[in-house]
Amino acid sequence: DAKTTQPPSMDCAEGRAANLPCNHSTISGNEYVYWYRQIHSQGPQYIIHGLKNNETNEMASLIITEDRKSSTLILPHATLRDTAVYYCIVRVLGSSNTGKLIFGQGTTLQVKP
Amino acid sequence: NAGVTQTPKFQVLKTGQSMTLQCAQDMNHEYMSWYRQDPGMGLRLIHYSVGAGITDQGEVPNGYNVSRSTTEDFPLRLLSAAPSQTSVYFCASSYSTPGQSGNQPQHFGDGTRLSIL
C-alpha cells in the first residue's frame, strides 16, 4: 500500500470548513483513498473513501486531484466534536492481503470556539 | 444497532495471569481483526479472521491466541500476560476482507484498556 504524508496538526475555528490535506504521490491506479478519524479514547471511525472522483457523504467531502497524488478531506462546518486525529490511508482493491489498515501519525485537528 | 462491542473496557492484570478480551459484532460481518495501539507506534494488527473457523496472524501475534467459532464473536486470549502487553486493544470488523471483493470500510469497537503490572 502506498505511503501517505499528512501535516501533524491543524487548527480550525468552530463553524468554519476544515480542510485536511494528504499527499500520496506513489499511489497506484487501483488504490483507494480512505479517511478515518480517532476521537480521544474511542476507536477509529470510518469517514469516507474514494478512487478517482470526488465523494461526499453526511460527514465530509473528499476531493482527489486529477493525478491522484493528493487529496483533501473537507469537514464543511467543523464543530468542537470534530476535534480528533484524522488518518489518510491508501489501499489496493483486489489484492490478497491481511486487510490490515496502515495508520500513520495522522493529523491532529483542533477545533477552537 | 450495537455495531462492534468490546468487553471489558478496562482491565488490570498481574504478570503471568491469563484473560480473554471479548469482541462481538451484530452486522453479520465476515472479516474481524484485533489491533493494539501504543504511543508512537500507531495501530498494529495482531490477528485477523476472514470467516468462522478461519484465523491468521497479523504483524504482532506473539503472546496472543484467537478463535472464531461463530461469525459474531472473535475473542482475543492472553495466555500469560506480560508488561509489554500493556496497551489499548481494538477489535474491528467489515463485511468482507478489506481490499478484496469490494472496498468495505472497517468498523471499530471502543477498545479495551489493559494494564499489566
Side-chain angles (χ1 to χ4, degrees), chain A residues 17-103:
Chain A
N19 298 291
L20 291 90
C22 179
N23 182 286
H24 32 79
S25 58
T26 61
I27 193 170
S28 300
N30 60 350
E31 287 185 309
Y32 280 72
V33 179
Y34 286 79
W35 283 84
Y36 283 77
R37 73 180 182 183
Q38 188 171 22
I39 298 171
H40 182 62
S41 298
Q42 297 182 19
Q45 177 188 25
Y46 165 78
I47 301 173
I48 198 168
H49 72 279
L51 182 63
K52 297 179 182 178
N53 301 320
N54 298 337
E55 302 288 344
T56 295
N57 63 20
E58 65 278 4
M59 291 182 66
S61 294
L62 174 61
I63 308 298
I64 302 174
T65 58
E66 192 168 344
D67 63 6
R68 303 206 328 117
K69 294 185 176 183
S70 65
S71 60
T72 301
L73 178 74
I74 301 173
L75 307 179
H77 305 286
T79 71
L80 298 179
R81 287 177 293 181
D82 291 322
T83 293
V85 180
Y86 287 77
Y87 297 97
C88 169
I89 300 166
V90 297
R91 67 173 305 109
V92 62
L93 173 67
S95 70
S96 175
N97 57 47
T98 65
K100 178 178 70 175
L101 291 173
I102 301 175
F103 288 83

Side-chain angles (χ1 to χ4, degrees), chain B residues 12 14 25 33 36 44 47 64-65 68 72 82 84:
Chain B
V12 179
K14 294 181 179 179
Q25 51 89 12
S33 59
R36 60 178 288 176
R44 293 181 290 172
H47 285 285
Y64 308 95
N65 279 356
R68 185 92 181 272
E72 295 78 20
S84 61

Side-chain angles (χ1 to χ4, degrees), chain B residues 60-84:
Chain B
V60 289
N62 292 340
Y64 308 95
N65 279 356
V66 292
S67 59
R68 185 92 181 272
S69 57
T70 67
T71 298
E72 295 78 20
D73 301 297
F74 190 43
L76 178 72
R77 280 184 288 277
L78 283 71
L79 301 178
S80 179
S84 61

